[in-house]
Amino acid sequence: MQNTIGQYQGCLLGLALGDALGAPYEGGPFERFVWRIIGKTSDGLPRWTDDTQMSIDVAEILLKYKAIDQIELANKFAQSYQWSRGYGPGAVKVLNAIKAGVDWKSASTRQFKNGSFGNGAAMRTPPVALFFHKDINRLLDETRKAAEITHAHPLAIDGAKAISLAISSALKGSFDDSFWIDLNEHCSAPIFREKFGLIKAWLHNGELVNHQTIVKKLGNGISAHESVATAIYIAMRFINCSFEELIKFVISLKGDVDTIGAMAGAIWGAYNGVTNLPNILIEQKDYILQLASLIHEQKP
Ligand code: R7I
Ligand code: MG
Ligand code: MG
């Protein structure tokens, strides 16, 4: 029962559900107030944010070109941008520059000279993992290509690779030793190695670490190194629990709830499949499921 279409659908829908259900809880009082006003579609369905929009963009480019065409993806990101999706402030500047005709390489280092280390690359990598999980070198290369358009910083790229690797293992139905070895080898920034070491030990010992310790040791912020290990830990800790329990826990950690929800939700969904997700209607649910089916059909 591995690599089934249901796992692909579970991955993308898990991402969108984590995003849409987490979004009302992201940020401070002002952001929450704004989301109360703009957080529903005209039909009253929960809307998702930049996490899902950029993942849809990646999926559409993969389906069209069977690879990450960076110029096409940069243009697609820029065309899809809408302020009401709550993009990160650095990403907004990069996307506006691309829209104004600046090439993505120059645009990506305009705001931060080494590129952004936000979690915006990690949150949109699940479609890349679905497409290329069978060939790890290709997976890592295409993950970097999708990331660096807006997130050239090595920490952001490491974070995206970690989520890609986690989804790859989830599709196999096993987070075995090779997963931890790959994480250490391909996401080698000391801060990631340290956090992956911690989560491996917590999971191995069956330690139910409390919220305060998770936030302190792994983080709940919008940078890649403050959220990616957190999402992987939560996905793995709740892998045999319900999706509802996972989301409840993500919400209770506060911070970047939509994005930690999206990343953890994508890993959980890739492992457990779409039939185990809650039957909740959200914005463009059918289209998201259709994209997942097409990736399943057209992947190399
Ligand atoms: O990473 P990004 O696209 O944001 C994603 C987040 C998710 O939570 C989404 O749900 C959305 O809400 O935003 O956006 P960026 O602006 O590129 O990065 C996020 C933030 O990380 C930046 O606004 C900075 O605060 C911080 N940051 C940096 N700070 C200093 N130096 C990122 N890179 C740097 C840096 O190099
Ligand atoms: Mg978001
Ligand atoms: Mg977020």
Side-chain angles (χ1 to χ4, degrees):
M1 273 284 286
Q2 261 112 53
N3 295 326
T4 63
I5 195 165
Q7 286 180 289
Y8 280 60
Q9 292 183 325
C11 178
L12 290 197
L13 187 59
L15 185 160
L17 278 172
D19 180 10
L21 300 179
Y25 303 93
E26 196 199 8
F30 178 70
E31 285 88 354
R32 290 178 187 208
F33 171 74
V34 172
W35 198 251
R36 276 211 293 278
I37 300 166
I38 63 168
K40 291 264 160 65
T41 65
S42 53
D43 308 340
L45 300 178
R47 288 179 76 221
W48 29 254
T49 75
D50 55 336
D51 307 53
T52 304
Q53 180 59 62
M54 292 188 116
S55 297
I56 290 175
D57 295 338
V58 169
E60 288 176 347
I61 288 296
L62 285 171
L63 288 166
K64 188 160 178 195
Y65 299 97
K66 314 296 177 227
I68 295 296
D69 179 314
Q70 291 181 297
I71 295 175
E72 294 294 338
L73 184 56
N75 289 335
K76 181 161 283 279
F77 284 156
Q79 292 307 322
S80 297
Y81 168 74
Q82 275 179 280
W83 76 267
S84 67
R85 297 274 185 214
Y87 286 68
V92 174
K93 295 210 169 89
V94 176
L95 298 182
N96 279 332
I98 293 170
K99 210 170 193 171
V102 178
D103 69 283
W104 68 262
K105 272 192 186 159
S106 322
S108 71
T109 49
R110 272 197 171 182
Q111 173 75 356
F112 304 111
K113 76 174 180 354
N114 299 317
S116 169
F117 55 56
N119 55 18
M123 73 191 187
R124 65 177 185 241
T125 203
V128 184
L130 293 180
F131 219 81
F132 294 112
H133 66 94
K134 288 196 174 143
D135 174 349
I136 185 168
N137 292 325
R138 186 87 197 271
L139 171 68
L140 294 167
D141 197 43
E142 299 286 343
T143 296
R144 172 191 56 76
K145 282 160 63 185
E148 68 189 2
I149 295 166
T150 51
H151 290 72
H153 197 288
L155 285 172
I157 295 173
D158 270 6
K161 287 179 177 173
I163 296 293
S164 281
L165 289 168
I167 286 171
S168 193
S169 286
L171 289 171
K172 278 187 238 152
S174 146
F175 298 95
D176 55 17
D177 283 349
S178 67
F179 169 58
W180 300 106
I181 292 168
D182 287 342
L183 274 185
N184 268 298
E185 187 178 336
H186 302 295
C187 316
S188 57
I191 190 160
F192 275 117
R193 285 198 168 168
E194 190 188 312
K195 291 184 179 188
F196 295 146
L198 258 183
I199 67 179
K200 186 181 177 194
W202 289 346
L203 292 162
H204 183 77
N205 299 334
E207 228 177 297
L208 296 181
V209 186
N210 66 32
H211 294 67
Q212 216 184 347
T213 309
I214 296 170
V215 173
K216 187 163 167 229
K217 302 278 189 187
L218 302 182
N220 63 353
I222 58 174
S223 53
H225 46 294
E226 288 284 317
S227 53
V228 165
T230 319
I232 294 175
Y233 171 66
I234 295 172
M236 291 179 70
R237 174 165 159 178
F238 286 86
I239 209 81
N240 293 316
C241 305
S242 70
F243 186 83
E244 287 88 339
E245 284 170 275
L246 176 142
I247 287 298
K248 203 170 145 203
F249 193 83
V250 171
I251 291 170
S252 70
L253 282 186
K254 304 200 172 87
D256 195 0
V257 181
D258 67 330
T259 305
I260 295 174
M263 296 188 291
I267 300 166
W268 191 100
Y271 186 93
N272 287 295
V274 70
T275 52
N276 288 305
L277 286 170
N279 189 14
I280 299 172
L281 276 183
I282 55 166
E283 182 181 11
Q284 290 191 56
K285 180 175 176 178
D286 288 345
Y287 182 56
I288 290 165
L289 294 175
Q290 190 195 339
L291 283 175
S293 307
L294 288 171
I295 292 177
H296 183 264
E297 193 181 294
Q298 296 181 26
K299 68 188 183 304

